[in-house]
Amino acid sequence: MVETIDAGAHRYVGTAFTAVDSGAIRVHRERCAKVRNRNVDCLKCAAACTSGCISLEDGELVIDASKCVGCGTCATVCPTCALESLNPSDAELKAACLRAVRGDEVVIACSQMEAALGDLLVPGAAAFVVCAGRVDESLLAGLAAEGVGRVTVLCGDCDHCAQRHGRDTAELVAETARQVLATWGDDLEVVVTDVPPASILAEGADEAAAETVRVAYFAQVRSCPPLREAEGVRVGSSAGQDAPKHPAHSLHVMKDGTLPHFIPDRRERLLDALAQLGEPEGDKLETRLWGAVVIDGTKCVSCRMCATFCPTGAIAKFDDADGTLGVTHTPGDCVKCGSCRDVCPADAITLLDAVPASWLTGGNRHRYVMTPRPVSLTDNPHQILDTFRLDFNGDIFER
């Protein structure tokens, strides 16, 4: 199934994404920042997609479900976890990693490397994923909290792999994990490499033999082998068909005037793992994972659309009994999707990259008191609605 959609048409983007909903990838459209408001710039999934299933061509989002290989790289980069990997799930992958621990090292190998090495691998000595881009920071932090000292992400010859973008994601995740864990005083070593360590090679097979086999395999193969099917999970060309049945979620506005919020499970697991490691030893973190919102009170028009569209509720409305109103911002819940900044009609929001580590696990919450926006209703009873329509390019509908 191939669909071409104007990337600004958020209603159609949400519909098209359901085409990749399968036994390998689950789509939670209500979490997608782009679905929630078309003015949001986020298209990280298209930039990271390894197979061409999700792509941006001449300003249009193209989704070809037949190309989905279920690698999970799109889910790794999605800040709101609107895309969820199921083959294996996060819990299954962590369990496989812990079973594969040798000493204090875990090896995670991509499917291309698994196919290349074949019988040279010690059974159970590594955990396997379709693509190295499947590994995310919550997994690495969880392994560190379990006492693992080194994670080797074994990635195939990416120059001869259709999924080569996954290597870039794996390198990004590794660097982010190193930085975050170092701030918490953990020295987990994360290495992304195409050289298999001796610890996973069968008796009698040395690294030279493994290199010979690997080079010979890559000389013949130009893409990753077919996706292995996990027990009870259908994957591959059937993506988008016979998808698992799970409740559809509504994008209806809640009682407080905001869209539904959801804190990604991965972010909660990441913060839980960091809490197990103790108190942060470093100061500020500057990563892809968190941001800190600053609102310029001289520009803010008090519309609170930032809270309306925030996917996680990191920005939330408050209305006190004395008439005071505004929003609060909780950096630990911020996933740096940029929704607040992109939908602000007054350019009053700055999203800072550097966040004090203590804010993340300490539950710090910043309070922004706002002044109600003066609106005259004498000439037009629909002036408020018309004003919002102007600010949001018509993206406001009467019910």
Side-chain angles (χ1 to χ4, degrees):
M1 180 180 182
V2 181
E3 295 199 41
T4 303
I5 314 102
D6 180 340
H10 67 296
R11 288 166 292 171
Y12 302 107
V13 170
T15 302
F17 268 130
T18 60
V20 299
D21 200 15
S22 69
I25 301 291
R26 176 166 296 168
V27 177
H28 301 275
R29 61 181 297 275
E30 76 284 356
R31 303 177 192 172
C32 176
K34 193 72 173 176
V35 170
R36 293 165 72 90
N37 190 296
R38 67 183 180 185
N39 295 302
V40 177
D41 288 338
C42 182
L43 284 169
K44 293 181 175 66
C45 55
C49 179
T50 65
S51 64
C53 169
I54 307 172
S55 60
L56 189 64
E57 301 177 10
D58 298 326
E60 294 182 330
L61 191 69
V62 179
I63 298 177
D64 186 348
S66 67
K67 293 183 178 179
C68 180
V69 296
C71 66
T73 304
C74 58
T76 297
V77 300
C78 179
T80 63
C81 288
L83 300 167
E84 178 188 3
S85 297
L86 298 178
N87 187 59
S89 69
D90 285 356
E92 290 168 339
L93 179 55
K94 182 180 179 181
C97 288
L98 292 177
R99 288 195 298 269
V101 173
R102 297 294 186 273
D104 68 343
E105 180 182 14
V106 171
V107 177
I108 306 172
C110 74
S111 57
Q112 192 188 55
M113 190 64 77
E114 179 188 13
L117 297 178
D119 294 338
L120 293 183
L121 292 171
V122 174
F128 297 102
V129 291
V130 176
C131 175
R134 169 67 179 81
V135 177
D136 79 293
E137 292 88 350
S138 69
L139 171 65
L140 297 175
L143 294 175
E146 295 285 350
V148 173
R150 176 186 170 97
V151 176
T152 298
V153 180
L154 199 54
C155 194
D157 187 342
C158 293
D159 290 337
H160 296 85
C161 177
Q163 278 70 51
R164 56 187 171 272
H165 294 315
R167 176 69 175 255
D168 297 333
T169 299
E171 295 280 11
L172 173 63
V173 167
E175 177 55 34
T176 302
R178 293 187 201 105
Q179 183 179 350
V180 171
L181 291 170
T183 302
W184 263 261
D186 188 273
D187 58 357
L188 176 71
E189 186 178 2
V190 185
V191 178
V192 181
T193 180
D194 57 7
V195 179
S199 61
I200 68 169
L201 299 178
E203 185 176 354
D206 56 20
E207 294 182 11
E211 178 67 9
T212 300
V213 170
R214 189 175 69 83
V215 170
Y217 177 85
F218 293 147
Q220 303 175 42
V221 178
R222 293 286 173 175
S223 64
C224 286
L227 176 61
R228 297 181 300 115
E229 294 190 4
E231 184 177 355
V233 178
R234 295 184 59 191
V235 295
S237 61
S238 62
Q241 303 176 23
D242 300 326
K245 304 301 180 183
H246 52 279
H249 292 276
S250 171
L251 282 173
H252 291 171
V253 175
M254 300 191 296
K255 288 183 178 180
D256 66 351
T258 67
L259 293 179
H261 310 304
F262 175 83
I263 303 294
D265 292 341
R266 279 182 170 178
R267 292 305 179 89
E268 291 188 331
R269 287 196 297 270
L270 175 56
L271 290 174
D272 287 345
L274 295 177
Q276 290 182 50
L277 294 173
E279 295 297 321
E281 298 178 359
D283 185 15
K284 289 187 176 182
L285 276 171
E286 188 172 340
T287 71
R288 73 182 189 96
L289 298 176
W290 295 285
V293 170
V294 175
I295 301 176
D296 185 344
T298 64
K299 295 181 179 180
C300 178
V301 295
S302 307
C303 67
R304 298 196 286 182
M305 285 297 173
C306 52
T308 296
F309 292 105
C310 178
T312 66
I315 301 179
K317 296 180 180 180
F318 70 81
D319 293 274
D320 294 344
D322 63 1
T324 304
L325 61 83
V327 299
T328 58
H329 171 55
T330 307
D333 293 340
C334 177
V335 295
K336 206 175 180 180
C337 66
S339 294
C340 55
R341 176 196 58 210
D342 295 342
V343 304
C344 179
D347 292 325
I349 292 179
T350 300
L351 187 58
L352 301 179
D353 292 324
V355 184
S358 60
W359 289 3
L360 303 179
T361 54
N364 291 55
R365 180 173 297 173
H366 305 145
R367 181 178 168 96
Y368 287 94
V369 176
M370 297 177 174
T371 302
R373 183 180 185 180
V375 178
S376 171
L377 300 179
T378 56
D379 298 326
N380 182 359
H382 295 284
Q383 184 172 345
I384 297 176
L385 184 62
D386 292 341
T387 300
F388 280 151
R389 280 204 180 101
L390 178 63
D391 288 338
F392 288 89
N393 299 317
D395 195 21
I396 298 289
F397 302 93
E398 292 184 87
R399 298 178 65 84

Tab-separated table of all heavy atoms in Angstrom, residues 105 107-110 113 132 150-158 167 170-171 178 190-197 214:
chain	number	residue	atom	x	y	z
A	105	GLU	N	29.513	-8.277	29.747
A	105	GLU	CA	29.314	-7.765	28.391
A	105	GLU	C	28.080	-8.368	27.746
A	105	GLU	O	27.767	-9.555	27.930
A	105	GLU	CB	30.527	-8.060	27.503
A	105	GLU	CG	30.368	-7.544	26.072
A	105	GLU	CD	31.553	-7.875	25.175
A	105	GLU	OE1	32.375	-8.727	25.570
A	105	GLU	OE2	31.651	-7.286	24.087
A	107	VAL	N	26.286	-8.594	23.811
A	107	VAL	CA	26.425	-8.342	22.379
A	107	VAL	C	25.040	-8.362	21.748
A	107	VAL	O	24.263	-9.302	21.955
A	107	VAL	CB	27.331	-9.399	21.695
A	107	VAL	CG1	27.386	-9.148	20.181
A	107	VAL	CG2	28.733	-9.361	22.289
A	108	ILE	N	24.727	-7.303	21.003
A	108	ILE	CA	23.469	-7.211	20.256
A	108	ILE	C	23.839	-7.153	18.785
A	108	ILE	O	24.553	-6.243	18.349
A	108	ILE	CB	22.657	-5.967	20.653
A	108	ILE	CG1	22.428	-5.925	22.161
A	108	ILE	CG2	21.329	-5.933	19.913
A	108	ILE	CD1	21.797	-4.632	22.653
A	109	ALA	N	23.397	-8.122	17.990
A	109	ALA	CA	23.800	-8.215	16.590
A	109	ALA	C	22.613	-7.990	15.663
A	109	ALA	O	21.501	-8.435	15.937
A	109	ALA	CB	24.429	-9.579	16.306
A	110	CYS	N	22.873	-7.311	14.541
A	110	CYS	CA	21.817	-7.096	13.554
A	110	CYS	C	21.621	-8.378	12.736
A	110	CYS	O	22.462	-9.284	12.746
A	110	CYS	CB	22.160	-5.924	12.643
A	110	CYS	SG	23.439	-6.266	11.411
A	113	MET	N	24.445	-9.383	10.278
A	113	MET	CA	25.606	-10.003	10.902
A	113	MET	C	25.279	-11.433	11.351
A	113	MET	O	26.121	-12.337	11.240
A	113	MET	CB	26.061	-9.169	12.093
A	113	MET	CG	27.404	-9.606	12.669
A	113	MET	SD	28.786	-9.396	11.520
A	113	MET	CE	29.055	-7.625	11.627
A	132	ALA	N	20.575	-2.455	13.762
A	132	ALA	CA	21.184	-1.855	14.948
A	132	ALA	C	20.437	-0.608	15.407
A	132	ALA	O	20.522	-0.218	16.575
A	132	ALA	CB	22.642	-1.504	14.660
A	150	ARG	N	29.562	-3.400	29.516
A	150	ARG	CA	29.875	-3.132	28.109
A	150	ARG	C	28.767	-3.690	27.234
A	150	ARG	O	28.308	-4.825	27.432
A	150	ARG	CB	31.218	-3.753	27.714
A	150	ARG	CG	31.579	-3.591	26.233
A	150	ARG	CD	32.840	-4.366	25.892
A	150	ARG	NE	33.089	-4.421	24.457
A	150	ARG	CZ	33.905	-3.611	23.795
A	150	ARG	NH1	34.578	-2.676	24.449
A	150	ARG	NH2	34.086	-3.729	22.490
A	151	VAL	N	28.322	-2.892	26.273
A	151	VAL	CA	27.365	-3.347	25.268
A	151	VAL	C	28.009	-3.168	23.901
A	151	VAL	O	28.405	-2.055	23.534
A	151	VAL	CB	26.040	-2.563	25.331
A	151	VAL	CG1	25.109	-3.003	24.196
A	151	VAL	CG2	25.355	-2.751	26.675
A	152	THR	N	28.148	-4.267	23.168
A	152	THR	CA	28.665	-4.207	21.805
A	152	THR	C	27.503	-4.359	20.846
A	152	THR	O	26.802	-5.380	20.861
A	152	THR	CB	29.692	-5.325	21.551
A	152	THR	OG1	30.810	-5.151	22.430
A	152	THR	CG2	30.177	-5.299	20.109
A	153	VAL	N	27.258	-3.327	20.055
A	153	VAL	CA	26.209	-3.374	19.037
A	153	VAL	C	26.888	-3.754	17.733
A	153	VAL	O	27.651	-2.973	17.156
A	153	VAL	CB	25.488	-2.018	18.911
A	153	VAL	CG1	24.390	-2.102	17.848
A	153	VAL	CG2	24.897	-1.604	20.254
A	154	LEU	N	26.617	-4.966	17.299
A	154	LEU	CA	27.300	-5.527	16.132
A	154	LEU	C	26.483	-5.228	14.888
A	154	LEU	O	25.382	-5.731	14.698
A	154	LEU	CB	27.457	-7.036	16.333
A	154	LEU	CG	28.500	-7.775	15.499
A	154	LEU	CD1	29.867	-7.134	15.643
A	154	LEU	CD2	28.545	-9.239	15.914
A	155	CYS	N	27.037	-4.362	14.056
A	155	CYS	CA	26.324	-3.868	12.885
A	155	CYS	C	27.030	-4.352	11.636
A	155	CYS	O	28.262	-4.291	11.539
A	155	CYS	CB	26.298	-2.335	12.924
A	155	CYS	SG	25.149	-1.566	11.785
A	156	GLY	N	26.279	-4.821	10.652
A	156	GLY	CA	26.866	-5.371	9.435
A	156	GLY	C	27.541	-4.330	8.572
A	156	GLY	O	27.730	-3.179	8.964
A	157	ASP	N	27.905	-4.713	7.385
A	157	ASP	CA	28.581	-3.823	6.440
A	157	ASP	C	27.533	-2.870	5.879
A	157	ASP	O	26.863	-3.162	4.891
A	157	ASP	CB	29.218	-4.654	5.325
A	157	ASP	CG	30.079	-3.803	4.407
A	157	ASP	OD1	29.907	-2.574	4.417
A	157	ASP	OD2	30.912	-4.368	3.694
A	158	CYS	N	27.408	-1.712	6.503
A	158	CYS	CA	26.308	-0.806	6.181
A	158	CYS	C	26.405	-0.232	4.776
A	158	CYS	O	25.401	0.212	4.213
A	158	CYS	CB	26.232	0.318	7.210
A	158	CYS	SG	25.752	-0.294	8.837
A	167	ARG	N	22.614	2.424	11.051
A	167	ARG	CA	23.928	2.601	11.687
A	167	ARG	C	24.037	4.011	12.274
A	167	ARG	O	24.555	4.197	13.374
A	167	ARG	CB	25.039	2.362	10.662
A	167	ARG	CG	26.465	2.603	11.170
A	167	ARG	CD	26.868	1.545	12.199
A	167	ARG	NE	28.258	1.688	12.599
A	167	ARG	CZ	29.250	0.876	12.200
A	167	ARG	NH1	29.003	-0.109	11.350
A	167	ARG	NH2	30.464	1.033	12.636
A	170	ALA	N	22.079	4.079	15.431
A	170	ALA	CA	22.782	3.331	16.476
A	170	ALA	C	23.920	4.157	17.070
A	170	ALA	O	24.137	4.162	18.287
A	170	ALA	CB	23.318	2.017	15.906
A	171	GLU	N	24.651	4.852	16.224
A	171	GLU	CA	25.753	5.698	16.705
A	171	GLU	C	25.217	6.852	17.549
A	171	GLU	O	25.797	7.205	18.592
A	171	GLU	CB	26.550	6.249	15.523
A	171	GLU	CG	27.280	5.196	14.696
A	171	GLU	CD	28.593	4.753	15.339
A	171	GLU	OE1	28.844	5.107	16.510
A	171	GLU	OE2	29.376	4.056	14.654
A	178	ARG	N	25.955	7.184	26.408
A	178	ARG	CA	27.221	7.421	27.107
A	178	ARG	C	27.157	8.718	27.902
A	178	ARG	O	27.574	8.777	29.063
A	178	ARG	CB	28.384	7.491	26.107
A	178	ARG	CG	28.709	6.199	25.387
A	178	ARG	CD	29.977	6.360	24.563
A	178	ARG	NE	30.059	5.369	23.496
A	178	ARG	CZ	29.843	5.617	22.208
A	178	ARG	NH1	29.527	6.854	21.836
A	178	ARG	NH2	29.945	4.668	21.317
A	190	VAL	N	29.697	1.584	25.411
A	190	VAL	CA	28.825	1.214	24.301
A	190	VAL	C	29.616	1.342	23.014
A	190	VAL	O	30.122	2.426	22.685
A	190	VAL	CB	27.570	2.115	24.241
A	190	VAL	CG1	26.629	1.613	23.146
A	190	VAL	CG2	26.851	2.157	25.580
A	191	VAL	N	29.737	0.244	22.289
A	191	VAL	CA	30.541	0.214	21.071
A	191	VAL	C	29.682	-0.261	19.905
A	191	VAL	O	29.034	-1.307	19.991
A	191	VAL	CB	31.760	-0.722	21.226
A	191	VAL	CG1	32.569	-0.772	19.925
A	191	VAL	CG2	32.633	-0.276	22.386
A	192	VAL	N	29.652	0.511	18.833
A	192	VAL	CA	28.986	0.102	17.598
A	192	VAL	C	30.075	-0.278	16.610
A	192	VAL	O	30.922	0.542	16.253
A	192	VAL	CB	28.112	1.237	17.027
A	192	VAL	CG1	27.413	0.776	15.751
A	192	VAL	CG2	27.091	1.704	18.061
A	193	THR	N	30.068	-1.519	16.172
A	193	THR	CA	31.182	-2.018	15.360
A	193	THR	C	30.703	-3.082	14.379
A	193	THR	O	29.612	-3.657	14.550
A	193	THR	CB	32.281	-2.613	16.266
A	193	THR	OG1	33.360	-3.106	15.463
A	193	THR	CG2	31.742	-3.749	17.116
A	194	ASP	N	31.522	-3.352	13.359
A	194	ASP	CA	31.237	-4.469	12.448
A	194	ASP	C	32.207	-5.624	12.664
A	194	ASP	O	32.261	-6.558	11.871
A	194	ASP	CB	31.276	-4.015	10.990
A	194	ASP	CG	32.597	-3.374	10.600
A	194	ASP	OD1	33.534	-3.409	11.422
A	194	ASP	OD2	32.692	-2.847	9.479
A	195	VAL	N	32.972	-5.575	13.744
A	195	VAL	CA	33.935	-6.640	14.067
A	195	VAL	C	33.390	-7.470	15.220
A	195	VAL	O	33.267	-6.973	16.342
A	195	VAL	CB	35.308	-6.051	14.450
A	195	VAL	CG1	36.277	-7.178	14.803
A	195	VAL	CG2	35.858	-5.206	13.319
A	196	PRO	N	33.045	-8.725	14.989
A	196	PRO	CA	32.476	-9.553	16.058
A	196	PRO	C	33.500	-9.875	17.137
A	196	PRO	O	34.633	-10.265	16.820
A	196	PRO	CB	32.026	-10.823	15.331
A	196	PRO	CG	32.868	-10.878	14.102
A	196	PRO	CD	33.108	-9.450	13.705
A	197	PRO	N	33.148	-9.714	18.402
A	197	PRO	CA	34.091	-10.050	19.475
A	197	PRO	C	34.274	-11.558	19.596
A	197	PRO	O	33.370	-12.343	19.270
A	197	PRO	CB	33.411	-9.469	20.718
A	197	PRO	CG	31.959	-9.439	20.386
A	197	PRO	CD	31.874	-9.182	18.923
A	214	ARG	N	32.579	-13.113	6.903
A	214	ARG	CA	31.784	-11.890	6.843
A	214	ARG	C	31.996	-11.169	5.509
A	214	ARG	O	31.042	-10.747	4.853
A	214	ARG	CB	32.158	-10.978	8.013
A	214	ARG	CG	31.264	-9.771	8.208
A	214	ARG	CD	31.674	-9.019	9.456
A	214	ARG	NE	32.979	-8.377	9.309
A	214	ARG	CZ	33.153	-7.188	8.724
A	214	ARG	NH1	32.120	-6.523	8.266
A	214	ARG	NH2	34.353	-6.668	8.629
